[in-house]
C-alpha cells in the first residue's frame, strides 16, 4: 500500500485505482505513470476538498493572502509521492457528485468549528466576568 523503506512501490501498477493526498485535498484516481518514488495520478473523484487559507498559518484569517484552493479537475493529472498513495477499495464515485459532497463536508466542518469557537468565546467571557 505505501512505499516501504527499500523504495519498493508495494506492487502498484499503471491502471490501479488509488486514493492519494494532494496538498490538503484527497482524491481517488488512476495511476497513469510510475517513476521511482513518484507517480502520475489521473483524478476521477474528490474525497476531501482542499482547505482554504494559508497552509503555513492554518486557521489564521489575518494573513496577507487568504488562498482560495480549488479541487483538482476531472481527469487532471498530478504528480504524487507513492508514500501518499493507498489502494482504493470499492467503486469510484462520480466526479461531480463527489466534488459537491466534498465541498458540503468542508463547509459543514468549518461551520462546526465556527460554532465551537463561538461557544468557547461565550464560556470564556463568562469566566472573565467571574474572575473579577
Amino acid at each position: 500500500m505505501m512505499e516501504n523503506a527499500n523504495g519498493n512501490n508495494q506492487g502498484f501498477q499503471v491502471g490501479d485505482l488509488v486514493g492519494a493526498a494532494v496538498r490538503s485535498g484527497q482524491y481517488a484516481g488512476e495511476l497513469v505513470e510510475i517513476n521511482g518514488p513518484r507517480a502520475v495520478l489521473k483524478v476521477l473523484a474528490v474525497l476531501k476538498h482542499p482547505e482554504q487559507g494559508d497552509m503555513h498559518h492554518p486557521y489564521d484569517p489575518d494573513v496577507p493572502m487568504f488562498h482560495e484552493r480549488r479541487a483538482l479537475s476531472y481527469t487532471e493529472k498530478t504528480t504524487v509521492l507513492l508514500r501518499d498513495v493507498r489502494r482504493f477499495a470499492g467503486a469510484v464515485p462520480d466526479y461531480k457528485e463527489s466534488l459537491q459532497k466534498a465541498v458540503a463536508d468542508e463547509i459543514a466542518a468549518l461551520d462546526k468549528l465556527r460554532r465551537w469557537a463561538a461557544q468557547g468565546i461565550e464560556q470564556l467571557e463568562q469566566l472573565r466576568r467571574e474572575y473579577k
Side-chain angles (χ1 to χ4, degrees):
M1 181 152 74
M2 298 287 195
E3 181 180 4
N4 70 16
N6 298 328
N8 183 331
N9 69 14
Q10 292 283 350
F12 284 123
Q13 296 178 14
V14 169
D16 284 351
L17 292 178
V18 298
V22 179
R23 291 174 284 286
S24 63
Q26 294 178 11
Y27 301 88
E30 176 185 347
L31 291 179
V32 294
E33 184 180 316
I34 298 173
N35 187 10
R38 299 185 185 279
V40 176
L41 175 75
K42 179 171 71 172
V43 174
L44 300 176
V46 181
L47 304 176
K48 180 189 178 299
H49 196 277
E51 294 176 6
Q52 304 304 297
D54 186 335
M55 290 170 68
H56 301 290
H57 300 95
Y59 305 112
D60 184 354
D62 302 320
V63 292
M65 184 173 178
F66 196 90
H67 298 274
E68 173 190 273
R69 289 202 174 68
R70 298 179 74 81
L72 296 176
S73 301
Y74 180 65
T75 70
E76 182 174 348
K77 293 172 183 70
T78 187
T79 303
V80 296
L81 291 170
L82 281 172
R83 71 173 188 224
D84 296 332
V85 172
R86 65 189 185 289
R87 297 204 182 279
F88 190 83
V92 174
D94 173 77
Y95 177 82
K96 286 185 179 181
E97 290 175 13
S98 71
L99 177 61
Q100 289 299 321
K101 181 182 181 320
V103 168
D105 289 350
E106 192 68 15
I107 289 169
L110 288 173
D111 181 61
K112 185 175 183 179
L113 180 61
R114 179 190 56 80
R115 291 182 290 115
W116 174 84
Q119 278 192 296
I121 290 169
E122 189 177 310
Q123 293 283 324
L124 288 169
E125 291 293 349
Q126 177 62 38
L127 288 171
R128 181 175 17 199
R129 288 188 291 275
E130 291 177 17
Y131 291 159
K132 288 185 178 184

